[in-house]
Structures are given as structure tokens and as C-alpha cells.
Amino acid sequence: MYKESEESVPLLPLQQESMASALFNTDQNDNSERRRHDNSERRRNDNPESETNGQPQNNIQQVVEQDEEEDEELTLKYGAKHVIMLFVPVTLCMVVVVATIKSVSFYTRKDGQLIYTPFTEETETVGQRALNSILNAAIMISVIIVMTILLVVLYKYRCYKVIHGWLIISSLLLLFFFSFIYLGEVFKTYNVAMDYITLALMIWNFGVVGMICIHWKGPLRLQQAYLIMISALMALVFIKYLPEWTAWLILAVISVYDLVAVLCPKGPLRMLVETAQERNETLFPALIYSSTMVWLVNMAEEDPEAQRKASKNSTYDKQAPANQAQNEDAEADDGGFSQEWQQQRDSRIGPIESTPESRAAVQALPSNSQTSEDPEERGVKLGLGDFIFYSVLVGKASATASGDWNTTLACFVAILIVCCSAFFPDESTVVFCLHLQFFCKSRAQR
Amino acid sequence: KKPPPAPGCGFAAPGAALVLSFPHRAFFWLVSLLLASLIWFVSVHLSDQEDSKLQYGLLVFGAAVSVLLQEVFRFAYFKLLKKADEGLAMISEDGRSPISLKQMAYVSGLSFGIISGVFSVINILADSIGPGIVGIHGDSPYYFITSAFLTMALVFLHTFWGVIFFDACEKRRYWCLGLVVASHLVTSGLTFLNPWYEASLVPIYIITVCMGVWAFFTAGGSFRNVLKCLSCKASRPQRSR
């Protein structure tokens, strides 16, 4: 899977971006502070236009005279928040997986293998076992590559229905079938008596709410929780059904493949992301964990302007398939307000028409009112594959370590380093780069 | 012409950056532990497995190697941070680094302490949940509580050693360095006196207190500061939000 941040890859529909910039009316101070940090922290030239929406960049010069302490505090808030947004879900997923592995013995019991890994590892010689695991890994990786290419081809040729059907079937399987098995095993472990009727109700509710949250609209936290749960379930399945050497090999090869697929110009994942970027669409909701702040729900209720914007947001969720949203918007260009809402608004503040001109006028207004969030707090997105990958790593380590927690902890620390450095380069990472730089400079000067 | 701010300006905020880069520091300690255990593992396999005295000797040797490697990695981390400090000072706007060396020393020591403490105690904690009776085979029944105290001492010690070590490296007082390494070796050696807990825990705590006082004075504290801190707590303005 791939990683990107909002600032560098604008995956949101264009309307939302322009509205976001008009919306994020903080004081001159904060906005320009964050813009400066945004410009310096992410790739600088990336999309200042989308943030400012045509507003001049001269307020950046004002930033230079800002208070040092305020400066520090903002970077502190900004940087820390991003890291926490990232490693809390990853940690949660790993905690769930490790807790399950340590308590429920079902997931460490060998009950056969997947059809993707036909070769057994119960062989006489070490060489045979190595060969079998290499073959298993090769088959698994080729299956993954084929599926990825299929997905990219389907996306390129706009076969959205097929993709959505595929995603819906897979999330149905995860949310109903796998969670049913999981729940059953947990009950067996803790010797809890449960009748089928209660179980059916629980699974039904869990599954249906999960489908709604992931594929349609739902509270952000609930959606995040569901994504973490299905990643954990998927990771547990892999831990159970992949034999040891195969699992480690697959993990190694997948990380290499991940790098190649994302960084290589012709890599399938890169093509996917670029196509999505070109079309200004969001990618599939069922495959991405987004830590976006809930600025939809937190909107101030009193401010009519914000209310109008909030309503516009809530009528199309950014997670919904973007093409559908764009179609809807084109057909009813009343700004996306529903009829009843318009009546409500008319009765409250008098008849106001939301036309493109009025919206443009609003957007051109200078920033002068307080808001709750700002562009930079849009957060990061992480593919679910990464969650599953890390969880399988930690889970396998804790499963094979026969009760030793040190191994699990060491893996956990290693993964945190990857997360923290990839998304939040701190002084240690910069040190390496700087060290290299100094080294090269000193060599050059000699 | 002002140099552009470095990518990842997050470390301009010392608090968050130092705390959140805990995994990096922990990783350094883990690598030292890995190397030491590799050495021990190899030496055990190359030696006679039946000779218990030899195995015990190898264990002591392994522990000593581990201590030395930890200090080596602490030194390596110090070097790394110095380089980063220079780099940050160069590229920062006012020519000085935003993170002070003392802060770095403290956090680095603390991180080493946390990870080493966690590694010492987490298996014991996990076992303490399960059914069982402590020391039923004739071992000390105080195993859990003494392990807890020992871990606490270890965490404190690593923190103090970090502070003293960095300061000693900065001011090139090599006798300080030697003293830190020696005290680490002594502490590690004292744990071999377990289960004679009076002989091991009490001296370790004495060492901890001494190190603590030393680190306090190294970090620039003084008796007067303590008094001032205790008396003027209310009137001191809150520096960081």
C-alpha cells in the first residue's frame, strides 16, 4: 500500500479544497504561521494555491516577525499531532493483534494453509523447507501483483462498479464471517456461554454498521475503529494460515515490492495515485485509513456562514465515490444544500440564494473569523495494507517467541521508528542526512 | 541570504520532538543488546556446554560485554546528536540550536532507562499474572518486588548516567566517563549477588542516590536552586504552555 499526506497529494475534490481555504479563517497570525510551517515542512512548492485559494502570499513575510514562543508552540502542536495521529492507530491495531495472539490459542494453532501457499513447511530437511517457503512466497507475491495490476486497470478504465463490488464483497466477508469466527474463538477461550440468537444480532449489528461506516458516511472515529478492527482481523488470518518461514519471506518481499510499486514511475500503485490525482478523486474508502480531523462535525453552529459550509460538506462525504459526488453537484448546483435545509435556513436568516457568485464572493473575503481547524491539521492517510503488514510482523514475532514479550516489544519499537521517521522526520533522521551532507562537503573541500 | 528551514521542522519544538523520537533512542539500546547477546550466544556455543562454572563465567562475561556495548552506543548516540546539533545550529535562524545538550542528555538517558527497564521487567510482569507461587522451589519469595525495585533503580541510573556521560563527553572529562562506565559495571556485577538482596539492592540504591546527586550538580543545579524551587513555586511563571 502507499502513503501520502494531504498537502502533497490533493485527493479531495476541488470544491472541497477551495471551500476549505475560505473556511479556515483563523487570525492572520495562526494561518500564516501554519502556512509557513506547511510550506517549509512539506514540499514547499506543492499546493500553496489550494490553501490560499488565490489569496496573495505576502502574509508570509509577516510571519518572520512572529513571536518565537508562539512559533515553537505551533510547531510543537503541529508536529506532535501528526505523529500521534499516525502511531496511535498503528499501535492500537498491533495491541489488538498481540492481545489476541497471546490469549486466544486458535490463532497460533496450525489448521492447514491457504491455497495461495500450497507447499508445506513440515519437511524433513532444512533445505526443502527453505525451498518450499520461497515457492510459497513467490506464489503469494505474484497473486498480489496480479491483483494490484487488475485493480489499477479497472480503475484506469473507470470500471468503478466492479471495484466497488469487489470491495463490498471483501468487507462483507471480513465484517461478518471473520468477526464471527473471531468472536466464537474468544468465547471459547474465556468459556463464555452464548446463544446463537444473541450472537446473530451482535454480528448483524456490527457488520451492518461497519459496512455503512466504511463505504458510506459515518462518524470519523467509528470509521477509524472499524478500519483498525478489520485490519486486525485480516492480520490474524494471515498469522494463522501462513507458515513461519513463508510469512517472514512474504513480509520481506512485500516491503520491497511496496517501495518499488510506489516509487517506480511505472509502478502500479504510483499509477493509481496519479490517476486519482488527475481526476481529483478520493481513493477507495475501504482501503485507506484517514486521520482527518473531524472538521465536518465540529463546525460552529451559530455562525451562519459556517453553517452553510458545514451543510455543504455534510451532503457529500469525502469518502463517498467522488465521481458520484461530482455528478450530483453538477446536476443540482445549489451548492449542494438539500431542500429542507434551505427552507430551514430561509426561515431563520431570510431568503439567501447560494449561487456560484455568492460563493466566490465569500471565498474572496479576507480571513477574519475564528474556526476550529485549519488545512495543516487535515492529517495523514495510511493504506490499510501497512496496518496489516505491521500487525502481521508483530503478531508473528509474538506468536513464535513462545511467551517472550521482549521480542514483541523490540518489533514494536522498530515499527514505531519506521512510522515516526517516515512521517515525522525528527532530529535523528535529519542527523543522518546532515551527517551525510557534512561528510560529502568535507570530502569536496579536501 | 537566509538559509531555508530544514525539512521536518518539527524538531524546532524541543519537547515534542525529543519525546516522540523515543523509538530511535530505544533502538540504539536494543542494537547494543542484540550485539551483546550475539557475542554471548556465540561464545556459549563455542564452549563446553556441560561445564556449569564455565557457563556462569560466560554469563558474567556476557553481562560485562553488554554493559560496555551499551556505553559505546551511548557514546555513539552522543556523537550523532552533536552532529545534529551543529547542523541545526547552522540552519536555524539565529545560529543556535533549538535543543540544548542538557535536554538531549536527559532524554537520551531516560529513553535508555525506559527501554532497558521495560526489557528487564516485562517478562516478569507477564508471568506474575499467571497462576503460581513465587519461590516455591526454594528461591526467594521476594522475587517480584525486588525485581520491581531493581528496575526502578536501573531506570534512574540510566537517566543519571546519560546526563553525566554527555556532560563529560562535552567537557572532555574522561575520568567522569570512566567513573560512569565503572559504576555501570559495578551495578551489573552486584546483581549477580541476587538473591542475597541486602547485598545487592542496598548498594545499588546507594549508587543511584550518588549518581543522582552528581547528575543534579552536573546539570547545573545547586542547593540554592532547590530551596528557591521549593519556596517560590507559586510565584514562578509558567514557561511552557
Side-chain angles (χ1 to χ4, degrees):
Chain A
M1 289 291 156
Y2 49 88
K3 313 176 183 44
E4 68 264 8
S5 69
E6 289 271 3
E7 287 78 359
S8 52
V9 179
L11 295 179
L12 299 179
L14 194 56
Q15 296 96 319
Q16 208 152 14
E17 298 248 51
S18 51
M19 187 180 36
S21 54
L23 199 68
F24 298 131
N25 301 325
T26 65
D27 339 318
Q28 210 58 354
N29 263 2
D30 287 355
N31 202 11
S32 34
E33 282 287 345
R34 289 183 188 131
R35 230 180 285 139
R36 183 188 82 134
H37 290 304
D38 176 69
N39 287 337
S40 58
E41 186 133 346
R42 310 294 171 180
R43 284 161 246 162
R44 275 187 293 280
N45 310 320
D46 230 343
N47 49 5
E49 296 82 38
S50 67
E51 315 273 15
T52 61
N53 193 30
Q55 287 174 14
Q57 294 276 349
N58 51 16
N59 32 20
I60 291 188
Q61 270 87 46
Q62 299 170 17
V63 157
V64 180
E65 289 93 43
Q66 288 304 332
D67 198 21
E68 274 288 302
E69 224 172 280
E70 216 179 284
D71 205 359
E72 244 176 59
E73 185 201 336
L74 279 166
T75 5
L76 187 145
K77 280 201 305 204
Y78 174 29
K81 218 168 232 167
H82 274 66
V83 180
I84 290 181
M85 276 200 274
L86 183 66
F87 82 59
V88 166
V90 175
T91 312
L92 273 176
C93 192
M94 288 198 275
V95 162
V96 168
V97 169
V98 170
T100 311
I101 294 278
K102 292 284 185 189
S103 52
V104 179
S105 64
F106 172 73
Y107 288 103
T108 40
R109 216 163 50 217
K110 201 136 175 46
D111 282 338
Q113 295 179 206
L114 296 171
I115 54 164
Y116 303 116
T117 54
F119 298 97
T120 176
E121 282 198 9
E122 318 279 333
T123 58
E124 290 94 37
T125 65
V126 171
Q128 183 70 20
R129 184 176 187 183
L131 182 67
N132 279 358
S133 55
I134 290 175
L135 286 172
N136 280 338
I139 294 175
M140 190 79 173
I141 294 293
S142 29
V143 167
I144 291 176
I145 294 179
V146 164
M147 294 301 225
T148 315
I149 293 180
L150 186 64
L151 182 72
V152 173
V153 162
L154 283 175
Y155 190 72
K156 246 186 148 37
Y157 293 111
R158 299 179 186 263
C159 309
Y160 293 124
K161 290 270 186 308
V162 179
I163 296 178
H164 283 293
W166 181 5
L167 287 176
I168 285 177
I169 290 179
S170 63
S171 29
L172 266 175
L173 198 68
L174 274 172
L175 283 169
F176 287 96
F177 185 56
F178 286 161
S179 54
F180 168 66
I181 294 180
Y182 178 81
L183 215 54
E185 293 305 324
V186 168
F187 288 149
K188 277 188 218 167
T189 308
Y190 290 106
N191 206 17
V192 174
M194 175 69 62
D195 56 297
Y196 272 117
I197 301 176
T198 314
L199 187 67
L201 274 173
M202 285 203 299
I203 298 284
W204 174 254
N205 279 318
F206 178 78
V208 168
V209 175
M211 291 301 287
I212 293 177
C213 272
I214 296 174
H215 290 281
W216 196 46
K217 302 172 203 176
L220 184 70
R221 288 284 176 237
L222 195 60
Q223 189 194 34
Q224 290 174 340
Y226 267 106
L227 288 174
I228 291 176
M229 280 190 265
I230 64 175
S231 310
L233 282 173
M234 197 70 230
L236 285 168
V237 167
F238 278 133
I239 293 171
K240 179 173 171 66
Y241 289 110
L242 285 179
E244 310 220 341
W245 290 22
T246 312
W248 293 112
L249 257 178
I250 288 181
L251 282 172
V253 178
I254 270 205
S255 38
V256 171
Y257 163 71
D258 203 13
L259 274 173
V260 165
V262 172
L263 297 178
C264 215
K266 278 296 170 191
L269 292 177
R270 191 186 173 110
M271 280 173 48
L272 187 70
V273 169
E274 279 172 0
T275 321
Q277 233 178 315
E278 277 167 35
R279 297 182 195 169
N280 270 313
E281 289 168 355
T282 60
L283 279 164
F284 323 108
L287 293 177
I288 306 181
Y289 176 94
S290 162
S291 63
T292 315
M293 301 296 269
V294 191
W295 51 275
L296 298 176
V297 176
N298 286 345
M299 229 16 106
E301 288 300 297
E302 304 80 49
D303 186 4
E305 210 165 300
Q307 209 172 20
R308 199 188 324 180
K309 299 293 181 291
S311 169
K312 184 171 182 180
N313 285 337
S314 55
T315 50
Y316 65 95
D317 184 321
K318 63 170 85 64
Q319 312 296 346
N323 57 332
Q324 288 179 15
Q326 281 169 340
N327 288 341
E328 278 165 15
D329 227 34
E331 289 157 23
D333 194 20
D334 52 355
F337 307 138
S338 67
Q339 277 303 106
E340 57 188 46
W341 191 92
Q342 272 187 327
Q343 286 161 10
Q344 203 182 20
R345 179 203 64 200
D346 288 344
S347 64
R348 215 179 298 177
I349 53 178
I352 303 172
E353 213 40 58
S354 172
T355 62
E357 293 81 29
S358 70
R359 289 199 288 278
V362 166
Q363 284 162 12
L365 280 175
S367 327
N368 54 9
S369 47
Q370 291 289 101
T371 55
S372 44
E373 316 294 343
D374 69 310
E376 282 75 1
E377 294 190 35
R378 271 185 272 163
V380 292
K381 287 186 183 216
L382 187 60
L384 285 192
D386 286 311
F387 279 88
I388 298 176
F389 174 80
Y390 298 144
S391 309
V392 170
L393 191 72
V394 176
K396 259 298 185 213
S398 76
T400 59
S402 61
D404 188 14
W405 283 87
N406 290 341
T407 321
T408 314
L409 208 63
C411 279
F412 177 68
V413 167
I415 286 174
L416 275 190
I417 290 184
V418 168
C419 281
C420 289
S421 0
F423 282 84
F424 178 63
D426 74 333
E427 82 264 6
S428 305
T429 328
V430 175
V431 158
F432 287 115
C433 306
L434 285 174
H435 190 72
L436 215 57
Q437 199 182 350
F438 289 138
F439 182 65
C440 297
K441 253 192 226 170
S442 59
R443 292 295 285 272
Q445 279 165 6
R446 231 167 271 171
Chain B
K1 184 173 175 267
K2 217 190 322 187
C9 264
F11 52 65
L18 287 175
V19 167
L20 290 170
S21 62
F22 160 77
H24 292 82
R25 273 171 265 268
F27 194 66
F28 266 76
W29 187 88
L30 281 177
V31 172
S32 81
L33 187 68
L34 175 72
L35 286 176
S37 52
L38 270 175
I39 293 176
W40 176 80
F41 189 73
V42 165
S43 65
V44 160
H45 275 261
L46 287 178
S47 69
D48 178 19
Q49 302 263 9
E50 302 303 314
D51 189 355
S52 64
K53 269 195 100 55
L54 181 64
Q55 294 302 314
Y56 188 75
L58 278 178
L59 195 63
V60 177
F61 166 70
V65 165
S66 157
V67 164
L68 290 173
L69 276 173
Q70 281 178 43
E71 298 301 328
V72 164
F73 272 79
R74 210 198 294 269
F75 184 70
Y77 197 74
F78 168 76
K79 276 277 174 237
L80 205 67
L81 282 182
K82 281 290 285 179
K83 274 272 149 57
D85 211 28
E86 286 164 17
L88 289 178
M90 264 180 61
I91 60 178
S92 81
E93 287 155 6
D94 47 4
R96 63 171 175 83
S97 157
I99 314 174
S100 82
L101 197 68
K102 291 206 166 44
Q103 278 178 315
M104 282 199 258
Y106 170 69
V107 181
S108 139
L110 187 64
S111 310
F112 267 48
I114 289 178
I115 188 75
S116 86
V118 168
F119 258 67
S120 320
V121 92
I122 198 156
N123 277 327
I124 299 174
L125 276 179
D127 285 336
S128 70
I129 302 174
I133 303 176
V134 191
I136 195 171
H137 288 294
D139 300 308
S140 161
Y142 303 116
Y143 179 54
F144 286 160
I145 188 95
T146 48
S147 306
F149 274 113
L150 199 60
T151 311
M152 183 173 83
L154 197 64
V155 174
F156 277 135
L157 275 172
H158 269 287
T159 316
F160 300 147
W161 282 330
V163 172
I164 301 171
F165 193 96
F166 275 46
D167 187 68
C169 285
E170 183 73 19
K171 303 200 174 120
R172 302 191 185 278
R173 287 195 206 138
Y174 294 117
W175 61 273
C176 284
L177 272 184
L179 213 58
V180 164
V181 177
S183 64
H184 196 167
L185 280 169
V186 165
T187 312
S188 178
L190 279 172
T191 59
F192 279 97
L193 289 176
N194 287 342
W196 187 21
Y197 291 123
E198 299 84 8
S200 65
L201 266 188
V202 172
I204 288 181
Y205 267 88
I206 294 176
I207 295 180
T208 312
V209 169
C210 295
M211 289 289 149
V213 169
W214 187 9
F216 180 69
F217 284 110
T218 314
S222 68
F223 195 56
R224 217 172 326 135
N225 278 1
V226 175
L227 287 178
K228 229 198 303 185
C229 181
L230 287 172
S231 62
C232 308
K233 224 178 204 171
S235 58
R236 271 252 287 265
Q238 289 297 318
R239 210 214 143 245
S240 61
R241 293 163 229 177

